[in-house]
Amino acid sequence: MAKKANLDVVRENNRKLVLQTLFNADKTSRSSISKLVGLQKSTVSSIFLDLEAEGFVQELGIGESSNVGGRKPSMIRFNRQYGYVLAFDFGVRHLRYTLNHLSGETIRDGAIAIKSKEVGPVFEEMKKIIDTIAIPDTINGLVGISIAVHAPVFNNQIIYSPFFDFDAFDLVGELEKLTNVPVIMENEANLAAIFYRDYHVYDETIEYQDFISLNIHNGIGVGIICNGQIFRGVNGLAGEVGRTIMFDPESILTAGDTLPRLEDLYSENAIISRVAASKQIPHLSRKAFLDLLREKDSSVMPLMAEWQIAIATFIYNLNQLYAPQAIFISSRIFDNFPEITQATLTIVDELDSVHKPDLIISDSSVHDASMLGGVALISRKILGLSDYVLTFSL
């Protein structure tokens, strides 16, 4: 009995190696995979019979023979039509979504405005999106859903949420009942880090195993990749850097005073609110704020100078704390104003850290990175390859 169990474990491990190699190849052959994974051709052929039966293999036709001649190989790749996944970004003002193949490529995406701060009405909008999906050219249709949330998550449960009350509604459970597919909920900064790891959207000659994804938007958060894996800390609370206390030694605290947090002062929402207060207007939209910044408005520029120093100092401090190979930075302010980006990075450089990580301004929006990270996370679960090195395609 024990011997059979051991053989089953070995076969399952071999199956995962073959599936991993198939997934990561643009196109390949059974003989090539046999060489890459170090398994006998008969073993690989047996595994391929199972993978073909499950719908994971797509035949591409006959390839070229090798330099020494011989039989031309039958070329194959991971089957893009196996099924698709749906990834949501549960934002403060918008519900964004993307529909993707398991291999990563986007089929279509979209966004709708969120008018309620209750989870139930947002779930109803999710149902509408799911009901409109019709992808006929897949074997299994919808096979999984991921949800990016702006809150710490542990074991698919929200620890606390600054924007929505998840306690009153079991979002994961309701989606699983509706679709009968697995649903994963994860912190958006963690998913952004997974995106940078799995989609490899940087110099392909570099393989970062220890890096940080810094997201500056409604709040401020980081996703941490350590030895190639997400570091979540106790109860998924690692990375909640927006709650970092800011202390001014010149201020005098009295009983009941509360020290501000980093995101209370320097998140996008905080900066926009501070500009609105300085101009004595009740509400300032993000677009209006960006317009004021382009115009170099006198109410905005001093705050932006302060913001640049604060963000640069925080990047420096992150480097001292983690000594990562790289820090990926997502910010709509950086996206729109290269001169602000350069000025901020110059301040970081002038702080003259002993260790200088690669500082990479993301070309992908915060929302796209989080959703595509969700695509990778749920696809890994479907494939049973959560801890394997996989490369997804845009």
Side-chain angles (χ1 to χ4, degrees), residues 150 188-189 192 195-196 212-222 266-272 286 289-290 293-294 304 307-308 310-312 314-315 327-342 344-345 359-370:
H150 297 248
E188 49 83 29
F195 164 70
Y196 299 124
I212 289 172
S213 167
L214 170 60
N215 289 355
I216 307 166
H217 44 91
N218 299 314
I220 300 177
V222 301
Y266 301 116
S267 67
E268 285 183 5
N269 279 7
I271 286 292
I272 292 172
R286 182 167 278 104
F289 164 74
L290 293 176
L293 192 49
R294 288 188 187 93
M304 287 313 302
W307 184 84
Q308 289 169 206
I311 295 302
F314 183 67
I315 292 170
I327 301 176
F328 291 86
I329 307 166
S330 294
S331 163
R332 278 169 288 210
I333 294 173
F334 284 164
D335 286 345
N336 285 275
F337 300 95
E339 67 277 15
I340 293 177
T341 303
Q342 188 54 56
T344 306
L345 296 184
L359 301 180
I360 302 169
I361 305 302
S362 176
D363 291 333
S364 303
S365 73
V366 170
H367 310 291
D368 288 344
S370 295

Side-chain angles (χ1 to χ4, degrees), residues 105-126:
E105 300 93 339
T106 299
I107 301 170
R108 72 168 183 260
D109 54 25
I112 58 172
I114 291 178
K115 298 178 181 178
S116 173
K117 296 306 177 187
E118 297 181 5
V119 178
V122 181
F123 169 70
E124 293 300 321
E125 297 297 334
M126 290 177 165

